[in-house]
Amino acid sequence: ETRLGIALLAITGDAALEAHAILPKPRHVAVHGPLEISHPGGTLDLGMLPAPVWLADGNITAANRVHTSARFCLIVENEDVFFELAKSCRGILLVQSSYPGAAVRRLLAALPAGLPIYHFGDSDPAGFDILRDLREKSGRAIAPVFMGFRPCADAPTLSAVERDLCQRLLANAAMADVAPQLQAILAADSKGSFEQESLPLAGIVHELAIMT
């Protein structure tokens, strides 16, 4: 936003984004499952709703209490997978996020301190980098699930950027728990079958039910 304002000032003489019909995108997070947001006027129980909802950052900021009865929170990277899991999973707090925006960070910070949090993302270098970013920006202990390296003969070889990202993640002490997966990616010189969609949804739902 700052860079855009500087550019507009140089080009037009007016740095105000609104003057050029550029409006800020609302910060929000998609959630599903048992989540209670309490404000001075009352408590909203999002767990009563059958479908996911988008929770604005301002609604989280204004809350004086955020509570969940879920046994754990699951962050899901892919939006389509998030919506499919929301149809079948009960008793789990689902949050959709890749690299976390302000609303995601605000919600994770507001959740009860003892609530276990897991991340289900793609099992390629970028997917593990999203896990790193979630951990760093939320300050929460977030464990990966269903993110093991899955060999695939048809997968393309790693790019130089992907190999470099693997090496940087391996050098990060906070990512030591996923070092075996990263080393397997480097050893195979391949991302393998890395996309979340490549896993059978029914199996994921079954495993999540066992976790609860």
Side-chain angles (χ1 to χ4, degrees), residues 125-126 157-169 186:
T157 57
L158 297 176
S159 68
V161 171
E162 289 168 336
R163 285 193 292 272
D164 179 67
L165 180 53
C166 272
Q167 295 290 0
R168 285 190 282 114
L169 289 169
L186 284 174

Side-chain angles (χ1 to χ4, degrees), residues 17 44 59 74 97 143:
L17 270 61
L44 178 64
N59 291 330
L74 178 68
S97 178

Side-chain angles (χ1 to χ4, degrees), residues 22-167:
I22 302 174
L23 302 177
K25 181 180 179 181
R27 296 179 173 90
H28 63 269
V29 53
V31 300
H32 180 262
L35 184 68
E36 296 178 4
I37 306 292
S38 298
H39 291 101
T43 297
L44 178 64
D45 184 0
L46 300 180
M48 298 176 61
L49 303 176
V53 298
W54 280 260
L55 188 61
D57 180 36
N59 291 330
I60 305 171
T61 305
N64 52 27
R65 181 173 181 264
V66 175
H67 175 73
T68 179
S69 60
R71 290 281 302 279
F72 62 88
C73 170
L74 178 68
I75 303 169
V76 184
E77 177 185 342
N78 183 281
E79 191 174 71
D80 291 336
V81 176
F82 167 79
F83 284 117
E84 288 301 315
L85 289 176
K87 296 177 184 178
S88 305
C89 295
R90 296 291 179 267
I92 300 171
L93 177 59
L94 298 174
V95 176
Q96 194 276 315
S97 178
S98 54
Y99 288 101
V104 174
R105 299 195 301 269
R106 188 92 60 187
L107 176 61
L108 294 179
L111 291 175
L115 181 71
I117 303 177
Y118 300 95
H119 176 62
F120 175 27
D122 290 339
S123 57
D124 63 341
F128 285 105
D129 193 52
I130 289 172
L131 173 62
R132 173 202 58 78
D133 201 51
L134 281 163
R135 288 174 171 178
E136 289 182 357
K137 291 182 176 176
S138 71
R140 302 291 297 250
I142 302 174
V145 289
F146 316 123
M147 290 180 64
F149 174 67
R150 302 184 293 276
C152 177
D154 297 331
T157 57
L158 297 176
S159 68
V161 171
E162 289 168 336
R163 285 193 292 272
D164 179 67
L165 180 53
C166 272
Q167 295 290 0

